[in-house]
Amino acid sequence: MAIRCALALAFCSLLSAPGGSRAQGIAAASTNEGQFTLHFVQGEGWRPLPYTDAKGVILFRGVINARPATFMLDNGTSRTMIDAGFARRADIGLHLTKSQAVTGAATKLGIGRTDALTLEAEHAFSVIGTMAAIDLSGVSASLGQNVDAVVGADVLDHASVMIQPGRMMLSLAPSGAIKGGSGILIPIVDRNKILLQVNGAPVKLALDLGSTGAVRLTDTAWHRIFAGSGTTEKSDMTSADGVRRDTLRARAEVRLGRLTAKDVAVDSGFVSRDSADGLIGTRFLTSMTVILDLGKAQIGFFPPATASTPH
């Protein structure tokens, strides 16, 4: 996937590495979200976090009740959840509920509720209170790495999130705290969506850090754009719970403001539950430095002159 833009880039005002960062400018922030409190680290105690790429998903280390844990970043999940198995091993109380989570493959998983706990990424943020609990063993099996918790939209809606794939660093700070230099700023609409063009056709896509593809469209949108193109191929997708389904794939030009990406893999099979025509996932979003700020309703793209992404 080749990416180009018509401007020079300046990262001098990006919040980034210790020493050259603007960590001292981050103020403490706390937010009550349902049954928990979110607190961001302030001042010199703040640090960016190293992350790993697990088949396109962002994983980073933290602790739950002082026990080491692996967190998955996913604003596409409405709430932060911990693995029910981890909770049992850590002697965290669990309570049954009637709630269910619907996965990308439209299967349903039961959700429990934990006793009060502390979920923390050292030098970045902490969440204190009761959490949703769910069986994440399917997610772990699909990624080939253990996942103990998913940090969801109830946290990320209040955060500035900077992903630097060249350094494999993740920065989490209060909304508005991370400011970029010369980049391409795209407004976010309807809470988590952006307007762009795929092969010249306008679409509205949800930003989803939990999706491992580049772009995935609803079947209706996909056929509207690619019907009769003669350049499609068969593909497949496996959701985080291990369910596989056949899809179609085509290559396309994607435009976001002044940013143009060519030869982007665009898959079918997205099931929309609102106004979205599809989603844009980590294969696109981690091909360059991005700053996602849902609270400020904008995402900033900071691409190099060219970039490559696995197909």
Side-chain angles (χ1 to χ4, degrees):
M1 180 174 72
I3 297 175
R4 71 173 188 271
C5 62
L7 72 164
L9 301 176
F11 285 93
C12 59
S13 63
L14 287 177
L15 180 152
S16 55
S21 75
R22 298 174 60 199
Q24 294 79 1
I26 297 179
S30 295
T31 301
N32 290 317
E33 179 70 42
Q35 295 179 305
F36 68 72
T37 298
L38 167 65
H39 178 80
F40 289 98
V41 174
Q42 64 176 323
E44 295 183 359
W46 180 90
R47 295 287 185 277
L49 305 169
Y51 75 84
T52 59
D53 181 317
K55 299 183 180 179
V57 170
I58 294 172
L59 302 181
F60 60 103
R61 298 292 293 167
V63 295
I64 300 174
N65 283 3
R67 186 175 181 134
T70 298
F71 301 158
M72 172 178 160
L73 197 69
D74 184 8
N75 70 298
T77 298
S78 61
R79 49 181 142 174
T80 296
M81 302 181 291
I82 74 166
D83 176 53
F86 180 96
R88 286 189 287 269
R89 292 190 297 273
D91 294 325
I92 298 170
L94 290 174
H95 307 276
L96 295 177
T97 71
K98 295 182 179 180
S99 299
Q100 290 183 317
V102 181
T103 71
T107 55
K108 295 181 179 180
L109 299 174
I111 297 177
R113 179 176 57 82
T114 72
D115 286 343
L117 56 82
T118 298
L119 181 152
E120 179 182 10
E122 189 178 12
H123 304 300
F125 71 93
S126 62
V127 182
I128 302 172
T130 61
M131 305 280 167
I134 194 170
D135 180 7
L136 294 176
S137 60
V139 177
S140 298
S142 177
L143 298 179
Q145 293 196 40
N146 197 54
V147 176
D148 300 309
V150 176
V151 178
D154 51 0
V155 169
L156 299 178
D157 281 356
H158 304 288
S160 282
V161 181
M162 181 166 71
I163 304 167
Q164 295 174 283
R167 301 177 60 233
M168 299 294 286
M169 298 297 287
L170 171 68
S171 297
L172 293 157
S175 176
I178 304 178
K179 303 181 186 302
S182 297
I184 300 171
L185 298 181
I186 305 295
I188 294 173
V189 299
D190 296 346
R191 197 184 73 79
N192 66 343
K193 301 174 184 67
I194 57 175
L195 303 177
L196 61 150
Q197 294 181 335
V198 176
N199 278 359
V203 291
K204 180 163 58 173
L205 303 185
L207 297 158
D208 192 346
L209 294 172
S211 174
T212 60
V215 173
R216 187 174 299 281
L217 299 177
T218 64
D219 290 344
T220 299
W222 197 93
H223 287 290
R224 170 168 57 88
I225 296 170
F226 297 109
S229 66
T231 58
T232 62
E233 60 188 75
K234 292 183 179 180
S235 184
D236 63 78
M237 64 170 285
T238 302
S239 62
D241 55 352
V243 177
R244 180 187 174 280
R245 60 185 295 185
D246 294 329
T247 63
L248 295 172
R249 172 172 292 182
R251 300 284 170 177
E253 177 183 272
V254 174
R255 286 192 171 189
L256 303 88
R258 292 170 292 169
L259 176 67
T260 299
K262 294 184 177 293
D263 197 34
V264 177
V266 180
D267 295 307
S268 66
F270 176 71
V271 178
S272 181
R273 299 182 182 89
D274 52 25
S275 62
D277 296 308
L279 59 81
I280 185 165
T282 55
R283 279 288 181 264
F284 190 100
L285 296 174
T286 61
S287 63
M288 67 197 90
T289 293
V290 296
I291 300 175
L292 173 62
D293 197 321
L294 293 167
K296 293 295 183 181
Q298 69 178 24
I299 182 169
F301 292 90
F302 302 85
T306 59
S308 296
T309 280
H311 300 311

